Amino acid sequence: MAKILSGKIMSEELTQEQIKRVGELKQKGITPGLAVVLVGEDPASQIYVRNKGIACESIGIYSRTLQLDKAISQADLIRVIDKLNADTKIHGILIQSPLPGHLNEHQILSRILPEKDVDGFHITNAGKLFTSQDSVIACTPKGIMYMLKNGGVELSGKEAVVIGRSNIVGKPVAMLLLNEDCTVTICHSRTKNLKEHCKRADILVAAIGKPHFVTADMVKLGAAVIDVGINRVDGKVVGDVDYEHVKDIAGFITPVPGGVGKLTISMLMENTLEAACNLAP
Ligand code: NDP
């Protein structure tokens, strides 16, 4: 039976630590501030944005949500970002994805000052990660690494397999695992013999977006299985891993809900605190 890497417990511990750090910053006259920009009225995005606001409030970070019309032009959205870049109350800026199709996401994300890019999606931060320089690390990959290290999973020299190659999860987590001296394989929808790749993994990260995709026969005995997926099935949230069966084979496993998602929010708070410290005069 696998050891459960509980995002819920780890995030609660981090929250206590972060409350203290915010208190210390406030004594120095700095109130960390996060601006979340939501374009349109996607219901799931609204829930994510609300949860981010609640997380800020729970640790004492000032938060501001900008709800913008779904028809906003590229130029107007850029103007909003420029204003936030110049706003000394705001240390972190997050653009909630997905953006409406008429907007150029790469251009918008790259308009945020790299120092305020708490999502770690700016080309400068992504480039620094890929060249092993200190950078703002995207929240979900950063949370995954925290869970592995905090859970006592050995990384150096281990076989890591990441299923998924998105810019926000798959690619950055693969790079972070490589930086920790894992031997990394990235799999995707065109990968041949996926099961054979997965079976070799000491660390298996599933970031696919398909419910219960990773089954017990794909998992090596004792592997650390990290389930990033968030899928809604019959009104319930489930991951990409068939948790009930995989937990009997794996050495470590993250639940959904209560796993990676919790740490993603904690790392957003972490990145905002770090930005506030770095931007302080
Ligand atoms: P994307 O849709 O951007 O990427 C999914 C990846 O899975 C793609 O690289 C795709 O391959 C690959 N894939 C799809 N089908 C298969 C298949 N049959 N075999 C192998 N690979 C496959 O998703 P994201 O990376 O944004 O998110 C992945 C999941 O994680 C989603 O469920 C999302 O909701 C969740 N998520 C959770 C977060 C959290 O905080 N817990 C944060 C962010 C995301 P290809 O590139 O070839 O198309």
Side-chain angles (χ1 to χ4, degrees):
M1 175 76 183
K3 174 180 172 184
I4 296 167
L5 301 177
S6 168
K8 187 170 180 292
I9 294 173
M10 290 184 202
S11 73
E12 282 166 2
E13 288 165 2
L14 276 167
T15 297
Q16 293 314 312
E17 220 182 88
Q18 289 168 344
I19 288 172
K20 273 195 211 143
R21 281 162 60 201
V22 172
E24 286 162 13
L25 280 171
K26 283 186 175 171
Q27 279 184 353
K28 292 184 196 159
I30 305 160
T31 299
L34 174 68
V36 179
V37 178
L38 176 60
V39 182
E41 280 155 20
D42 176 59
S45 295
Q46 284 177 330
I47 294 172
Y48 293 141
V49 168
R50 200 174 319 129
N51 288 342
K52 286 164 189 171
I54 292 169
C56 285
E57 204 178 308
S58 71
I59 66 167
I61 288 182
Y62 163 70
S63 80
R64 193 190 298 165
T65 301
L66 289 88
Q67 166 85 60
L68 306 176
D69 192 276
K70 66 173 184 302
I72 191 170
S73 69
Q74 182 84 5
D76 284 347
L77 183 50
I78 296 252
R79 268 190 283 279
V80 170
I81 295 169
D82 286 348
K83 264 181 128 176
L84 292 170
N85 280 339
D87 189 332
T88 52
K89 273 189 162 175
I90 298 298
H91 304 96
I93 303 169
L94 182 152
I95 312 288
Q96 183 64 45
S97 68
L99 286 173
H102 67 281
L103 297 169
N104 178 336
E105 188 165 311
H106 283 302
Q107 197 189 48
I108 285 161
L109 294 178
S110 289
R111 190 73 178 198
I112 298 171
L113 277 181
E115 298 79 9
K116 293 194 177 187
D117 168 41
V118 282
D119 249 343
F121 297 160
H122 191 288
I123 198 86
T124 298
N125 285 317
K128 283 185 170 179
L129 170 62
F130 276 64
T131 49
S132 309
Q133 299 176 60
D134 276 347
S135 63
V136 184
I137 305 289
C139 303
T140 302
K142 185 169 176 164
I144 293 169
M145 297 312 288
Y146 183 92
M147 292 182 101
L148 288 168
K149 288 182 184 177
N150 193 271
V153 177
E154 238 184 88
L155 297 175
S156 182
K158 299 292 179 184
E159 290 278 344
V161 172
V162 178
I163 320 175
R165 55 174 162 178
S166 70
N167 290 334
I168 64 168
V169 188
K171 281 186 216 161
V173 83
M175 205 45 59
L176 290 166
L177 288 162
L178 183 63
N179 288 348
E180 292 294 332
D181 300 322
C182 290
T183 301
V184 184
T185 304
I186 305 177
C187 299
H188 46 79
S189 65
R190 307 291 169 89
T191 298
K192 299 213 187 328
N193 306 321
L194 180 72
K195 183 174 159 185
E196 280 68 39
H197 286 294
C198 294
K199 271 233 103 114
R200 277 191 291 109
D202 300 305
I203 297 139
L204 181 61
V205 179
I208 312 154
K210 295 210 154 87
H212 299 161
F213 183 90
V214 174
T215 47
D217 59 332
M218 295 165 77
V219 175
K220 180 177 172 178
L221 190 67
V225 179
I226 306 293
D227 189 352
V228 186
I230 298 179
N231 310 288
R232 280 178 182 81
V233 178
D234 301 331
K236 269 180 68 180
V237 174
V238 300
D240 288 345
V241 174
D242 177 9
Y243 182 89
E244 276 314 308
H245 296 104
V246 170
K247 73 178 184 338
D248 297 330
I249 311 269
F252 303 83
I253 192 163
T254 64
V256 177
V260 174
K262 290 275 180 200
L263 261 291
T264 297
I265 297 237
S266 289
M267 292 303 137
L268 175 63
M269 300 298 108
E270 197 67 26
N271 282 351
T272 306
L273 287 186
E274 286 170 20
C277 293
N278 294 338
L279 287 163

